[in-house]
Amino acid sequence: MTAARGIAVIGAPGAGKSTVGRWLADLLTLPFADVDTVIEERFQAPLREVFADQGEDGFRALERQHSLAALTGAGVVALGGGAVLDAEVAAALTGRHVVWLQVSATQATRRLGLNQAGGLVLGNIRGRLIQQMAERQAVYQRLATITVDTDRTEVPAVVDYIVSKLPEEDR
């Protein structure tokens, strides 16, 4: 991998950004940063608690700050699902390989554990996820240089596909 080009992994919650990003970084022997994990470690709390404590505007400011910091170096960066909606973060992706991990709402809810019987609250969370996915799809598509459907593909095959799409000098 050349120092000038890094890889950013984007997609909806439950797409596999953290898992695929870590595998990809390991395979390419590159540093890996997961912005959500960085935020959780800073606050020593799960992301949902940080979001609740900071409010959406405060959380988005934190996400922007940590995303921009992670995108300054070479390596693989797993961005939060909404990070690319920020114009500064989207601009920071210029010159990077941007991998969009596509996922269906059904598969995302399975991976996130939102398909369990849970009544109205889980229904609202699942509904919000579906709404976010629809709202963000055009942004993901516009920014992506590599697109992978992760619904029925195991992580090793997803990573192999991504590597096969990278220019030779970046493998």
Side-chain angles (χ1 to χ4, degrees), residues 13-52:
K17 299 178 299 290
S18 299
T19 303
V20 169
R22 189 172 294 108
W23 277 59
L24 189 59
D26 286 348
L27 181 66
L28 298 172
T29 61
L30 292 170
F32 174 67
D34 181 334
V35 173
D36 287 348
T37 300
V38 169
I39 294 170
E40 287 179 331
E41 288 173 355
R42 175 177 172 207
F43 286 88
Q44 297 184 357
L47 212 57
R48 66 182 173 278
E49 287 181 25
V50 177
F51 190 94

Side-chain angles (χ1 to χ4, degrees), residues 70-121:
L71 291 168
T72 60
V76 178
V77 177
L79 293 173
V84 296
L85 301 176
D86 182 272
E88 286 181 72
V89 173
L93 295 174
T94 302
R96 285 187 165 266
H97 301 290
V98 180
V99 178
W100 174 25
L101 301 181
Q102 291 180 315
V103 65
S104 68
T106 300
Q107 189 62 271
T109 56
R110 280 188 191 124
R111 292 177 185 169
L112 296 170
L114 300 179
N115 65 336
Q116 308 299 318
L120 187 58
V121 174

Side-chain angles (χ1 to χ4, degrees), residues 59-158:
F59 177 80
R60 294 298 171 202
L62 286 167
E63 186 177 51
R64 177 186 323 104
Q65 172 192 354
H66 291 289
S67 296
L68 292 173
L71 291 168
T72 60
V76 178
V77 177
L79 293 173
V84 296
L85 301 176
D86 182 272
E88 286 181 72
V89 173
L93 295 174
T94 302
R96 285 187 165 266
H97 301 290
V98 180
V99 178
W100 174 25
L101 301 181
Q102 291 180 315
V103 65
S104 68
T106 300
Q107 189 62 271
T109 56
R110 280 188 191 124
R111 292 177 185 169
L112 296 170
L114 300 179
N115 65 336
Q116 308 299 318
L120 187 58
V121 174
L122 285 182
N124 289 342
I125 294 170
R126 186 177 188 281
R128 180 69 181 132
L129 176 64
I130 292 168
Q131 178 185 3
Q132 284 179 345
M133 290 172 75
E135 292 169 350
R136 296 172 181 177
Q137 182 173 348
V139 177
Y140 295 146
Q141 188 172 20
R142 177 176 52 84
L143 295 171
T145 59
I146 299 170
T147 301
V148 183
D149 185 337
T150 67
D151 266 13
R152 291 176 189 84
T153 310
E154 296 296 322
V155 173
V158 169

